[in-house]
Amino acid sequence: EVQLVESGGGLVQPGGSLRLSCAASGFTFSSYWMSWVRQAPGKGLEWVANIKQDGSEIYYVDSVKGRFTISRDNAKNSLYLQMNSLRAEDTAVYYCAGNEMATIVWGQGTLVTVSS
Amino acid sequence: DIQMTQSPSTLSASVGDRVTITCRASQSISSWLAWYQQKPGKAPRLLIYKASSLESGVPSRFSGSGSGTEFTLTISSLQPDDFATYYCQQYDSVWTFGQGTKVEIK
């Protein structure tokens, strides 16, 4: 069964840091572009970052550049998102997702709340 | 960046109605378009990928069409389980999503 399982979410104070992880199983992780997508409460979906299969290309939405770092470990079938200098507006459910050509897979999400 | 414009933002319909949602890309994305259904508190569910390919397990009343910059999602006969929010997504370059269409009971 194709599965992506996110972890690492929680409550953090403004200015704090959090590291999200995403464990992949049931497919060839190293063949997929991987992405993080977030959804603020009551809002739509927003792409955050993505990383090429071998990590050689990485892209971010402007609002997280310089604060968030996406990375992957193909040997561990895992994707990560290091989030620093967190702001209230980063509060959202964060989804791990990936695509290989046309196929797209998604996780179930992990909630990040930035609040004092 | 490629912008995705989805319409309408809200749609009121009855069970059995034929429903169409439109998505327009700011530049050509070939057929790199997906459609999702999302219910409150749940992750998006992939319905259509590569503009017109039905994801495994998705009922055949859902269909997608289009290429280039104009795309549509059609539900041929709306069922009670279909009341939800629908999003389009382009994955030709870095991903972008439409604003969403909430399908409500009329």
Side-chain angles (χ1 to χ4, degrees):
Chain A
E1 180 193 3
V2 172
Q3 203 168 16
L4 290 171
V5 179
E6 301 92 337
S7 61
L11 174 63
V12 61
Q13 293 188 338
S17 299
L18 215 52
R19 189 194 196 207
L20 305 184
S21 299
C22 172
S25 60
F27 65 99
T28 307
F29 178 76
S30 59
S31 297
Y32 279 61
W33 271 88
M34 295 301 298
S35 299
W36 288 99
V37 175
R38 67 184 178 184
Q39 188 171 35
K43 302 298 185 182
L45 298 165
E46 179 186 40
W47 167 81
V48 173
N50 64 2
I51 183 168
K52 196 176 179 179
Q53 290 88 337
D54 61 359
S56 62
E57 292 182 40
I58 289 174
Y59 302 96
Y60 298 98
V61 68
D62 285 349
S63 59
V64 309
K65 283 180 182 175
R67 300 189 300 124
F68 289 12
T69 302
I70 188 173
S71 61
R72 65 190 296 162
D73 185 336
N74 288 340
K76 294 183 177 179
N77 289 337
S78 293
L79 178 73
Y80 306 100
L81 186 68
Q82 177 66 43
M83 304 186 295
N84 299 329
S85 303
L86 282 161
R87 306 167 180 167
E89 55 264 36
D90 296 318
T91 294
V93 175
Y94 284 73
Y95 295 100
C96 165
N99 67 289
E100 178 195 35
M101 298 304 287
T103 307
I104 307 172
V105 296
W106 284 67
Q108 292 304 302
T110 186
L111 176 62
V112 172
T113 303
V114 184
S115 174
S116 55
Chain B
D1 291 357
I2 299 173
Q3 307 302 316
M4 304 301 293
T5 303
Q6 189 175 336
S7 61
S9 55
T10 306
L11 188 160
S12 296
S14 301
V15 172
D17 284 354
R18 182 181 180 87
V19 166
T20 298
I21 299 169
T22 298
C23 196
R24 176 175 296 150
S26 59
Q27 64 190 70
S28 177
I29 56 170
S30 183
S31 295
W32 299 110
L33 185 103
W35 289 99
Y36 296 89
Q37 177 193 70
Q38 190 178 34
K39 295 183 178 180
K42 299 293 187 181
R45 175 195 182 194
L46 179 65
L47 302 174
I48 302 287
Y49 62 94
K50 199 120 188 264
S52 59
S53 297
L54 192 67
E55 173 72 350
S56 176
V58 174
S60 60
R61 63 181 180 272
F62 291 92
S63 64
S65 64
S67 66
T69 61
E70 297 281 339
F71 302 88
T72 58
L73 172 71
T74 300
I75 309 172
S76 60
S77 178
L78 198 65
Q79 298 302 301
D81 191 48
D82 300 338
F83 292 98
T85 300
Y86 294 83
Y87 293 94
C88 63
Q89 174 213 1
Q90 69 81 17
Y91 54 116
D92 179 57
S93 65
V94 294
W95 294 3
T96 31
F97 294 89
Q99 306 93 312
T101 295
K102 185 174 184 180
V103 177
E104 299 180 327
I105 300 173
K106 191 173 184 179

